[in-house]
Amino acid sequence: MKSRSQIRAGRSRFPDQFDRIPDPLILIIFNKLADARSLGRCAAVSRRFRSLVPLVDDVYVKIDRVVTVDGDSCRSLTLSFPRPRKCFSHFLKLMFFAILRPIRNLHNPHCGGKRFLPQVSHRSPAQVLKNFRHVRRLRIELPAGDVRTEDGVLLRWRAEFGSTLESCVILGGTPTDRLPPSSARAGKAEDDGSMPESFYTNGGLKLRVVWAIGTLIAASTRHYLLQEIIEDHPTLESLVLTDADEQGTLSMGIEQLKEFREKPLVASASSTRTHLPASNMKLRYAPYLELPEGMAMQGATLVAISPATDDTDGNSGREECDSFIRGAFEGPLDAAVKSLVERRIYLMEINGF
């Protein structure tokens, strides 16, 4: 049986080939990995890895649990908490106190025995990210969407923010199988591009307004909660905050992040979300749309929202057909947008709130 000294001597004759991989190549691999949880595991492998992980450019943080603000990891949100529709800010703030178990025991090589990523039983993503010093592209995923809808209804939204709302696109409707050709032709013959009278009388319009207001509250709350992250990471060039349901996505590019840092953020009266400026809401509606892949959508609705000061021609139906709206969704939903932008526009105004 070999002694420990013999084993060590044998190892020295066969150096670790992994050490021959240059640091830039390892950083490329870490950037492809991106996931903060996996990067935390890598940082536990060796001192070299622990020194390289904080240098990654691309980071993805998945928040997969909702815990109470007091940090009790075993006690999740219960039905006794306020309804999400009435308290988006409360719900989303709780989501930011998430647990990333696999990375909480790692150590910071620059701080003695301190953990590389601090215990996060009651830490926010801003605290989890504080040891990543060169983040350029950050993506954060929340565990669920924020806007409640009726069963069977699909709702998707995309919003861009600088220091406040720049634009928001909402697509909603009820996915269904295509109607038989005869029924579809009959429906198209009756559809003249206008909203049917029943849309006003059966609550259809009111429901769409509720979608829009709920989306704006959710988006402005997400934006407000990003303050600390943006302030702590001056190297950021792209920030995306989405959710596991793929319901909504808030995005900020390099110019928008610069504006956010230079202009003070204005909070709403509740002080838990960004104040929204007076805006124009342009709604398009189709009772029935045929989509690719054998799909269809009933009650298809496209809502484009932008600050009133940015809308120089409220009577034009083509100004929203820019790259943001057309590129907001993919697949069959992209086809729905392209069909809806050709429909008649119904303009509404929203006061700042």
PDB file of all heavy atoms in Angstrom, residues 109-138:
ATOM      1  N   PRO A 109     -12.525  34.406  -2.062  1.00  0.00           N
ATOM      2  CA  PRO A 109     -11.079  34.255  -1.950  1.00  0.00           C
ATOM      3  C   PRO A 109     -10.379  35.523  -1.503  1.00  0.00           C
ATOM      4  O   PRO A 109      -9.256  35.489  -1.065  1.00  0.00           O
ATOM      5  CB  PRO A 109     -10.658  33.878  -3.373  1.00  0.00           C
ATOM      6  CG  PRO A 109     -11.701  34.486  -4.246  1.00  0.00           C
ATOM      7  CD  PRO A 109     -12.975  34.392  -3.461  1.00  0.00           C
ATOM      8  N   HIS A 110     -11.057  36.648  -1.638  1.00  0.00           N
ATOM      9  CA  HIS A 110     -10.438  37.923  -1.296  1.00  0.00           C
ATOM     10  C   HIS A 110     -10.775  38.368   0.118  1.00  0.00           C
ATOM     11  O   HIS A 110     -10.348  39.422   0.552  1.00  0.00           O
ATOM     12  CB  HIS A 110     -10.880  39.004  -2.295  1.00  0.00           C
ATOM     13  CG  HIS A 110     -10.643  38.618  -3.719  1.00  0.00           C
ATOM     14  ND1 HIS A 110      -9.390  38.518  -4.265  1.00  0.00           N
ATOM     15  CD2 HIS A 110     -11.524  38.279  -4.709  1.00  0.00           C
ATOM     16  CE1 HIS A 110      -9.484  38.148  -5.542  1.00  0.00           C
ATOM     17  NE2 HIS A 110     -10.759  37.994  -5.818  1.00  0.00           N
ATOM     18  N   CYS A 111     -11.572  37.598   0.810  1.00  0.00           N
ATOM     19  CA  CYS A 111     -12.030  38.030   2.132  1.00  0.00           C
ATOM     20  C   CYS A 111     -11.868  36.911   3.151  1.00  0.00           C
ATOM     21  O   CYS A 111     -12.781  36.635   3.935  1.00  0.00           O
ATOM     22  CB  CYS A 111     -13.490  38.485   2.079  1.00  0.00           C
ATOM     23  SG  CYS A 111     -13.786  39.816   0.918  1.00  0.00           S
ATOM     24  N   GLY A 112     -10.736  36.238   3.128  1.00  0.00           N
ATOM     25  CA  GLY A 112     -10.481  35.209   4.113  1.00  0.00           C
ATOM     26  C   GLY A 112     -11.523  34.111   4.065  1.00  0.00           C
ATOM     27  O   GLY A 112     -11.770  33.498   3.052  1.00  0.00           O
ATOM     28  N   GLY A 113     -12.166  33.893   5.196  1.00  0.00           N
ATOM     29  CA  GLY A 113     -13.149  32.819   5.287  1.00  0.00           C
ATOM     30  C   GLY A 113     -14.548  33.240   4.937  1.00  0.00           C
ATOM     31  O   GLY A 113     -15.486  32.469   5.114  1.00  0.00           O
ATOM     32  N   LYS A 114     -14.735  34.459   4.442  1.00  0.00           N
ATOM     33  CA  LYS A 114     -16.081  34.900   4.092  1.00  0.00           C
ATOM     34  C   LYS A 114     -16.592  34.167   2.871  1.00  0.00           C
ATOM     35  O   LYS A 114     -15.834  33.814   1.981  1.00  0.00           O
ATOM     36  CB  LYS A 114     -16.087  36.419   3.819  1.00  0.00           C
ATOM     37  CG  LYS A 114     -15.818  37.257   5.064  1.00  0.00           C
ATOM     38  CD  LYS A 114     -15.943  38.722   4.732  1.00  0.00           C
ATOM     39  CE  LYS A 114     -15.690  39.588   5.959  1.00  0.00           C
ATOM     40  NZ  LYS A 114     -15.812  41.030   5.634  1.00  0.00           N
ATOM     41  N   ARG A 115     -17.884  33.989   2.819  1.00  0.00           N
ATOM     42  CA  ARG A 115     -18.477  33.296   1.676  1.00  0.00           C
ATOM     43  C   ARG A 115     -18.383  34.143   0.432  1.00  0.00           C
ATOM     44  O   ARG A 115     -18.553  35.357   0.482  1.00  0.00           O
ATOM     45  CB  ARG A 115     -19.937  32.934   1.974  1.00  0.00           C
ATOM     46  CG  ARG A 115     -20.083  31.884   3.075  1.00  0.00           C
ATOM     47  CD  ARG A 115     -21.554  31.595   3.331  1.00  0.00           C
ATOM     48  NE  ARG A 115     -21.721  30.494   4.243  1.00  0.00           N
ATOM     49  CZ  ARG A 115     -21.748  30.627   5.571  1.00  0.00           C
ATOM     50  NH1 ARG A 115     -21.598  31.826   6.099  1.00  0.00           N
ATOM     51  NH2 ARG A 115     -21.911  29.575   6.353  1.00  0.00           N
ATOM     52  N   PHE A 116     -18.125  33.462  -0.722  1.00  0.00           N
ATOM     53  CA  PHE A 116     -18.084  34.192  -2.004  1.00  0.00           C
ATOM     54  C   PHE A 116     -19.418  34.858  -2.276  1.00  0.00           C
ATOM     55  O   PHE A 116     -19.504  36.015  -2.647  1.00  0.00           O
ATOM     56  CB  PHE A 116     -17.720  33.219  -3.130  1.00  0.00           C
ATOM     57  CG  PHE A 116     -17.875  33.835  -4.481  1.00  0.00           C
ATOM     58  CD1 PHE A 116     -16.989  34.798  -4.913  1.00  0.00           C
ATOM     59  CD2 PHE A 116     -18.924  33.465  -5.315  1.00  0.00           C
ATOM     60  CE1 PHE A 116     -17.128  35.385  -6.143  1.00  0.00           C
ATOM     61  CE2 PHE A 116     -19.069  34.050  -6.547  1.00  0.00           C
ATOM     62  CZ  PHE A 116     -18.167  35.002  -6.964  1.00  0.00           C
ATOM     63  N   LEU A 117     -20.504  34.105  -2.120  1.00  0.00           N
ATOM     64  CA  LEU A 117     -21.850  34.659  -2.204  1.00  0.00           C
ATOM     65  C   LEU A 117     -22.477  34.493  -0.835  1.00  0.00           C
ATOM     66  O   LEU A 117     -22.582  33.377  -0.343  1.00  0.00           O
ATOM     67  CB  LEU A 117     -22.665  33.938  -3.273  1.00  0.00           C
ATOM     68  CG  LEU A 117     -22.123  34.109  -4.690  1.00  0.00           C
ATOM     69  CD1 LEU A 117     -22.966  33.315  -5.666  1.00  0.00           C
ATOM     70  CD2 LEU A 117     -22.101  35.567  -5.081  1.00  0.00           C
ATOM     71  N   PRO A 118     -22.889  35.579  -0.183  1.00  0.00           N
ATOM     72  CA  PRO A 118     -23.347  35.511   1.197  1.00  0.00           C
ATOM     73  C   PRO A 118     -24.585  34.650   1.331  1.00  0.00           C
ATOM     74  O   PRO A 118     -25.282  34.371   0.365  1.00  0.00           O
ATOM     75  CB  PRO A 118     -23.658  36.986   1.526  1.00  0.00           C
ATOM     76  CG  PRO A 118     -23.925  37.612   0.205  1.00  0.00           C
ATOM     77  CD  PRO A 118     -23.045  36.903  -0.768  1.00  0.00           C
ATOM     78  N   GLN A 119     -24.846  34.222   2.576  1.00  0.00           N
ATOM     79  CA  GLN A 119     -26.070  33.472   2.806  1.00  0.00           C
ATOM     80  C   GLN A 119     -27.245  34.291   2.327  1.00  0.00           C
ATOM     81  O   GLN A 119     -27.361  35.471   2.629  1.00  0.00           O
ATOM     82  CB  GLN A 119     -26.241  33.164   4.300  1.00  0.00           C
ATOM     83  CG  GLN A 119     -25.344  32.031   4.752  1.00  0.00           C
ATOM     84  CD  GLN A 119     -25.778  31.495   6.080  1.00  0.00           C
ATOM     85  OE1 GLN A 119     -26.753  31.954   6.659  1.00  0.00           O
ATOM     86  NE2 GLN A 119     -25.048  30.516   6.563  1.00  0.00           N
ATOM     87  N   VAL A 120     -28.134  33.642   1.573  1.00  0.00           N
ATOM     88  CA  VAL A 120     -29.200  34.403   0.936  1.00  0.00           C
ATOM     89  C   VAL A 120     -30.561  34.010   1.460  1.00  0.00           C
ATOM     90  O   VAL A 120     -31.561  34.193   0.796  1.00  0.00           O
ATOM     91  CB  VAL A 120     -29.148  34.209  -0.604  1.00  0.00           C
ATOM     92  CG1 VAL A 120     -27.923  34.879  -1.159  1.00  0.00           C
ATOM     93  CG2 VAL A 120     -29.184  32.736  -0.956  1.00  0.00           C
ATOM     94  N   SER A 121     -30.613  33.452   2.655  1.00  0.00           N
ATOM     95  CA  SER A 121     -31.914  33.132   3.232  1.00  0.00           C
ATOM     96  C   SER A 121     -32.725  34.398   3.425  1.00  0.00           C
ATOM     97  O   SER A 121     -33.940  34.369   3.426  1.00  0.00           O
ATOM     98  CB  SER A 121     -31.746  32.405   4.569  1.00  0.00           C
ATOM     99  OG  SER A 121     -30.994  33.206   5.463  1.00  0.00           O
ATOM    100  N   HIS A 122     -32.024  35.540   3.623  1.00  0.00           N
ATOM    101  CA  HIS A 122     -32.726  36.818   3.608  1.00  0.00           C
ATOM    102  C   HIS A 122     -31.844  37.846   2.910  1.00  0.00           C
ATOM    103  O   HIS A 122     -31.530  38.893   3.450  1.00  0.00           O
ATOM    104  CB  HIS A 122     -33.113  37.264   5.015  1.00  0.00           C
ATOM    105  CG  HIS A 122     -32.085  36.964   6.068  1.00  0.00           C
ATOM    106  ND1 HIS A 122     -32.007  35.757   6.708  1.00  0.00           N
ATOM    107  CD2 HIS A 122     -31.095  37.730   6.583  1.00  0.00           C
ATOM    108  CE1 HIS A 122     -31.019  35.782   7.578  1.00  0.00           C
ATOM    109  NE2 HIS A 122     -30.449  36.965   7.525  1.00  0.00           N
ATOM    110  N   ARG A 123     -31.411  37.476   1.700  1.00  0.00           N
ATOM    111  CA  ARG A 123     -30.631  38.373   0.860  1.00  0.00           C
ATOM    112  C   ARG A 123     -31.359  38.605  -0.449  1.00  0.00           C
ATOM    113  O   ARG A 123     -32.014  37.718  -0.970  1.00  0.00           O
ATOM    114  CB  ARG A 123     -29.259  37.777   0.561  1.00  0.00           C
ATOM    115  CG  ARG A 123     -28.440  37.443   1.795  1.00  0.00           C
ATOM    116  CD  ARG A 123     -27.857  38.668   2.432  1.00  0.00           C
ATOM    117  NE  ARG A 123     -27.018  38.334   3.570  1.00  0.00           N
ATOM    118  CZ  ARG A 123     -26.352  39.213   4.292  1.00  0.00           C
ATOM    119  NH1 ARG A 123     -26.427  40.487   3.982  1.00  0.00           N
ATOM    120  NH2 ARG A 123     -25.610  38.845   5.300  1.00  0.00           N
ATOM    121  N   SER A 124     -31.201  39.789  -0.998  1.00  0.00           N
ATOM    122  CA  SER A 124     -31.814  40.110  -2.287  1.00  0.00           C
ATOM    123  C   SER A 124     -30.838  39.777  -3.400  1.00  0.00           C
ATOM    124  O   SER A 124     -29.649  39.572  -3.160  1.00  0.00           O
ATOM    125  CB  SER A 124     -32.163  41.595  -2.329  1.00  0.00           C
ATOM    126  OG  SER A 124     -30.978  42.353  -2.421  1.00  0.00           O
ATOM    127  N   PRO A 125     -31.308  39.721  -4.668  1.00  0.00           N
ATOM    128  CA  PRO A 125     -30.385  39.510  -5.784  1.00  0.00           C
ATOM    129  C   PRO A 125     -29.265  40.531  -5.817  1.00  0.00           C
ATOM    130  O   PRO A 125     -28.147  40.221  -6.239  1.00  0.00           O
ATOM    131  CB  PRO A 125     -31.295  39.626  -7.004  1.00  0.00           C
ATOM    132  CG  PRO A 125     -32.611  39.157  -6.520  1.00  0.00           C
ATOM    133  CD  PRO A 125     -32.704  39.683  -5.112  1.00  0.00           C
ATOM    134  N   ALA A 126     -29.529  41.762  -5.373  1.00  0.00           N
ATOM    135  CA  ALA A 126     -28.475  42.771  -5.345  1.00  0.00           C
ATOM    136  C   ALA A 126     -27.324  42.323  -4.453  1.00  0.00           C
ATOM    137  O   ALA A 126     -26.152  42.521  -4.772  1.00  0.00           O
ATOM    138  CB  ALA A 126     -29.041  44.104  -4.850  1.00  0.00           C
ATOM    139  N   GLN A 127     -27.645  41.686  -3.342  1.00  0.00           N
ATOM    140  CA  GLN A 127     -26.607  41.197  -2.436  1.00  0.00           C
ATOM    141  C   GLN A 127     -25.932  39.953  -2.995  1.00  0.00           C
ATOM    142  O   GLN A 127     -24.735  39.758  -2.819  1.00  0.00           O
ATOM    143  CB  GLN A 127     -27.223  40.935  -1.066  1.00  0.00           C
ATOM    144  CG  GLN A 127     -27.672  42.210  -0.365  1.00  0.00           C
ATOM    145  CD  GLN A 127     -28.527  41.923   0.847  1.00  0.00           C
ATOM    146  OE1 GLN A 127     -29.514  41.200   0.762  1.00  0.00           O
ATOM    147  NE2 GLN A 127     -28.145  42.484   1.980  1.00  0.00           N
ATOM    148  N   VAL A 128     -26.703  39.108  -3.660  1.00  0.00           N
ATOM    149  CA  VAL A 128     -26.128  37.923  -4.283  1.00  0.00           C
ATOM    150  C   VAL A 128     -25.122  38.316  -5.363  1.00  0.00           C
ATOM    151  O   VAL A 128     -24.083  37.673  -5.547  1.00  0.00           O
ATOM    152  CB  VAL A 128     -27.236  37.034  -4.884  1.00  0.00           C
ATOM    153  CG1 VAL A 128     -26.653  35.913  -5.732  1.00  0.00           C
ATOM    154  CG2 VAL A 128     -28.119  36.467  -3.784  1.00  0.00           C
ATOM    155  N   LEU A 129     -25.410  39.420  -6.060  1.00  0.00           N
ATOM    156  CA  LEU A 129     -24.586  39.832  -7.199  1.00  0.00           C
ATOM    157  C   LEU A 129     -23.413  40.733  -6.824  1.00  0.00           C
ATOM    158  O   LEU A 129     -22.613  41.083  -7.693  1.00  0.00           O
ATOM    159  CB  LEU A 129     -25.461  40.571  -8.218  1.00  0.00           C
ATOM    160  CG  LEU A 129     -26.488  39.733  -8.970  1.00  0.00           C
ATOM    161  CD1 LEU A 129     -27.524  40.638  -9.631  1.00  0.00           C
ATOM    162  CD2 LEU A 129     -25.809  38.854 -10.003  1.00  0.00           C
ATOM    163  N   LYS A 130     -23.298  41.102  -5.580  1.00  0.00           N
ATOM    164  CA  LYS A 130     -22.330  42.155  -5.245  1.00  0.00           C
ATOM    165  C   LYS A 130     -20.884  41.743  -5.491  1.00  0.00           C
ATOM    166  O   LYS A 130     -20.022  42.599  -5.664  1.00  0.00           O
ATOM    167  CB  LYS A 130     -22.520  42.608  -3.797  1.00  0.00           C
ATOM    168  CG  LYS A 130     -22.094  41.596  -2.746  1.00  0.00           C
ATOM    169  CD  LYS A 130     -22.283  42.182  -1.355  1.00  0.00           C
ATOM    170  CE  LYS A 130     -21.792  41.220  -0.279  1.00  0.00           C
ATOM    171  NZ  LYS A 130     -21.958  41.807   1.075  1.00  0.00           N
ATOM    172  N   ASN A 131     -20.585  40.441  -5.503  1.00  0.00           N
ATOM    173  CA  ASN A 131     -19.211  39.998  -5.760  1.00  0.00           C
ATOM    174  C   ASN A 131     -18.920  39.800  -7.240  1.00  0.00           C
ATOM    175  O   ASN A 131     -17.786  39.483  -7.605  1.00  0.00           O
ATOM    176  CB  ASN A 131     -18.923  38.708  -4.999  1.00  0.00           C
ATOM    177  CG  ASN A 131     -18.741  38.951  -3.514  1.00  0.00           C
ATOM    178  OD1 ASN A 131     -18.022  39.858  -3.118  1.00  0.00           O
ATOM    179  ND2 ASN A 131     -19.428  38.181  -2.700  1.00  0.00           N
ATOM    180  N   PHE A 132     -19.923  39.963  -8.106  1.00  0.00           N
ATOM    181  CA  PHE A 132     -19.692  39.959  -9.548  1.00  0.00           C
ATOM    182  C   PHE A 132     -19.390  41.401  -9.960  1.00  0.00           C
ATOM    183  O   PHE A 132     -20.285  42.230 -10.026  1.00  0.00           O
ATOM    184  CB  PHE A 132     -20.911  39.431 -10.299  1.00  0.00           C
ATOM    185  CG  PHE A 132     -21.168  37.967 -10.071  1.00  0.00           C
ATOM    186  CD1 PHE A 132     -22.029  37.541  -9.073  1.00  0.00           C
ATOM    187  CD2 PHE A 132     -20.549  37.005 -10.854  1.00  0.00           C
ATOM    188  CE1 PHE A 132     -22.275  36.194  -8.867  1.00  0.00           C
ATOM    189  CE2 PHE A 132     -20.780  35.654 -10.653  1.00  0.00           C
ATOM    190  CZ  PHE A 132     -21.645  35.251  -9.656  1.00  0.00           C
ATOM    191  N   ARG A 133     -18.132  41.684 -10.241  1.00  0.00           N
ATOM    192  CA  ARG A 133     -17.700  43.077 -10.376  1.00  0.00           C
ATOM    193  C   ARG A 133     -17.697  43.597 -11.802  1.00  0.00           C
ATOM    194  O   ARG A 133     -17.452  44.778 -12.027  1.00  0.00           O
ATOM    195  CB  ARG A 133     -16.296  43.233  -9.770  1.00  0.00           C
ATOM    196  CG  ARG A 133     -16.201  42.806  -8.308  1.00  0.00           C
ATOM    197  CD  ARG A 133     -14.829  43.127  -7.743  1.00  0.00           C
ATOM    198  NE  ARG A 133     -13.763  42.418  -8.432  1.00  0.00           N
ATOM    199  CZ  ARG A 133     -13.369  41.181  -8.127  1.00  0.00           C
ATOM    200  NH1 ARG A 133     -13.995  40.518  -7.170  1.00  0.00           N
ATOM    201  NH2 ARG A 133     -12.370  40.614  -8.777  1.00  0.00           N
ATOM    202  N   HIS A 134     -17.921  42.713 -12.785  1.00  0.00           N
ATOM    203  CA  HIS A 134     -17.804  43.136 -14.179  1.00  0.00           C
ATOM    204  C   HIS A 134     -19.013  42.710 -15.013  1.00  0.00           C
ATOM    205  O   HIS A 134     -18.879  42.436 -16.199  1.00  0.00           O
ATOM    206  CB  HIS A 134     -16.521  42.559 -14.797  1.00  0.00           C
ATOM    207  CG  HIS A 134     -15.274  43.021 -14.124  1.00  0.00           C
ATOM    208  ND1 HIS A 134     -14.634  44.192 -14.464  1.00  0.00           N
ATOM    209  CD2 HIS A 134     -14.552  42.484 -13.107  1.00  0.00           C
ATOM    210  CE1 HIS A 134     -13.573  44.350 -13.691  1.00  0.00           C
ATOM    211  NE2 HIS A 134     -13.502  43.326 -12.865  1.00  0.00           N
ATOM    212  N   VAL A 135     -20.177  42.659 -14.418  1.00  0.00           N
ATOM    213  CA  VAL A 135     -21.365  42.193 -15.132  1.00  0.00           C
ATOM    214  C   VAL A 135     -21.758  43.207 -16.204  1.00  0.00           C
ATOM    215  O   VAL A 135     -21.918  44.402 -15.927  1.00  0.00           O
ATOM    216  CB  VAL A 135     -22.547  41.973 -14.167  1.00  0.00           C
ATOM    217  CG1 VAL A 135     -23.763  41.480 -14.930  1.00  0.00           C
ATOM    218  CG2 VAL A 135     -22.160  40.983 -13.081  1.00  0.00           C
ATOM    219  N   ARG A 136     -21.911  42.724 -17.425  1.00  0.00           N
ATOM    220  CA  ARG A 136     -22.370  43.569 -18.525  1.00  0.00           C
ATOM    221  C   ARG A 136     -23.806  43.232 -18.929  1.00  0.00           C
ATOM    222  O   ARG A 136     -24.581  44.112 -19.273  1.00  0.00           O
ATOM    223  CB  ARG A 136     -21.446  43.419 -19.735  1.00  0.00           C
ATOM    224  CG  ARG A 136     -20.033  43.928 -19.510  1.00  0.00           C
ATOM    225  CD  ARG A 136     -19.184  43.752 -20.752  1.00  0.00           C
ATOM    226  NE  ARG A 136     -17.823  44.205 -20.538  1.00  0.00           N
ATOM    227  CZ  ARG A 136     -17.418  45.458 -20.685  1.00  0.00           C
ATOM    228  NH1 ARG A 136     -18.295  46.378 -21.062  1.00  0.00           N
ATOM    229  NH2 ARG A 136     -16.167  45.799 -20.470  1.00  0.00           N
ATOM    230  N   ARG A 137     -24.110  41.961 -18.910  1.00  0.00           N
ATOM    231  CA  ARG A 137     -25.442  41.504 -19.316  1.00  0.00           C
ATOM    232  C   ARG A 137     -26.039  40.671 -18.192  1.00  0.00           C
ATOM    233  O   ARG A 137     -25.479  39.630 -17.823  1.00  0.00           O
ATOM    234  CB  ARG A 137     -25.356  40.700 -20.621  1.00  0.00           C
ATOM    235  CG  ARG A 137     -24.959  41.552 -21.817  1.00  0.00           C
ATOM    236  CD  ARG A 137     -24.489  40.719 -22.982  1.00  0.00           C
ATOM    237  NE  ARG A 137     -23.203  40.083 -22.697  1.00  0.00           N
ATOM    238  CZ  ARG A 137     -22.032  40.689 -22.850  1.00  0.00           C
ATOM    239  NH1 ARG A 137     -21.976  41.942 -23.274  1.00  0.00           N
ATOM    240  NH2 ARG A 137     -20.907  40.047 -22.573  1.00  0.00           N
ATOM    241  N   LEU A 138     -27.160  41.125 -17.664  1.00  0.00           N
ATOM    242  CA  LEU A 138     -27.793  40.478 -16.518  1.00  0.00           C
ATOM    243  C   LEU A 138     -29.232  40.102 -16.857  1.00  0.00           C
ATOM    244  O   LEU A 138     -29.979  40.918 -17.397  1.00  0.00           O
ATOM    245  CB  LEU A 138     -27.768  41.414 -15.305  1.00  0.00           C
ATOM    246  CG  LEU A 138     -28.510  40.941 -14.050  1.00  0.00           C
ATOM    247  CD1 LEU A 138     -27.909  39.655 -13.502  1.00  0.00           C
ATOM    248  CD2 LEU A 138     -28.505  42.039 -12.988  1.00  0.00           C
TER     249      LEU A 138
END
